[in-house]
Amino acid sequence: MELTLTTPAVLFPAISLLLLAYTNRFLHLANLIRQMHATELSPRIRRQIANLRRRVILIRYMQEAGVLSFLLCVLTMLALYVGSPTLAWWLFGLSLLLLGISLCLSVIEIRISVKALDIHLDEMG
């Protein structure tokens, strides 16, 4: 299979939307953390804080892997442009690997998010 300039370019909108989704998750958590700052630290809140801390760290890693994937797509296009198809293949492969890592981290973060909801549900009944 031949790697052309359009192959890595196809990932640009997908990675951009993924990074936007990650940023929205981060902003939501940041607002939640700011709201909790003025709250009394009950045992439930302490459990939530630990949960939020893990989620913020995961979102940071998700964003970093996504941005590096995006950068490697750009470098893939540059390598193709200057006539280095072997380098382009390696860069594109690394880009896909980082994108996969980012998505796996996203699944882990979603699972932790569900645990946060479970904490609320436990309190309710």
Side-chain angles (χ1 to χ4, degrees):
M1 181 177 140
E2 183 182 350
L3 186 63
T4 64
L5 282 173
T6 57
T7 305
V10 169
L11 287 181
F12 277 36
I15 294 172
S16 296
L17 287 174
L18 196 62
L19 291 174
L20 181 62
Y22 293 166
T23 300
N24 285 338
R25 292 185 76 80
F26 177 79
L27 291 174
H28 173 72
L29 283 181
N31 287 333
L32 190 60
I33 291 167
R34 287 183 186 102
Q35 289 173 1
M36 292 176 76
H37 184 72
T39 308
E40 181 182 325
L41 294 179
S42 68
R44 180 180 62 87
I45 297 295
R46 289 185 191 279
R47 287 172 53 199
Q48 290 288 17
I49 289 171
N51 189 301
L52 290 170
R53 190 178 314 273
R54 285 188 304 235
R55 289 178 63 196
V56 167
I57 290 168
L58 276 174
I59 290 173
R60 182 183 76 200
Y61 290 145
M62 289 160 39
Q63 288 176 321
E64 288 172 355
V67 168
L68 288 174
S69 176
F70 204 169
L71 177 63
L72 288 176
C73 276
V74 171
L75 293 176
T76 298
M77 293 176 72
L78 181 63
L80 288 169
Y81 182 74
V82 298
S84 298
T86 304
L87 177 60
W89 271 102
W90 281 103
L91 291 170
F92 189 63
L94 287 173
S95 174
L96 291 177
L97 178 66
L98 284 168
L99 184 58
I101 289 169
S102 178
L103 292 171
C104 288
L105 290 172
S106 179
V107 169
I108 294 168
E109 193 272 333
I110 289 169
R111 289 177 177 259
I112 293 172
S113 177
V114 169
K115 286 180 186 177
L117 293 176
D118 286 340
I119 291 170
H120 279 293
L121 290 173
D122 287 345
E123 290 289 321
M124 292 172 58

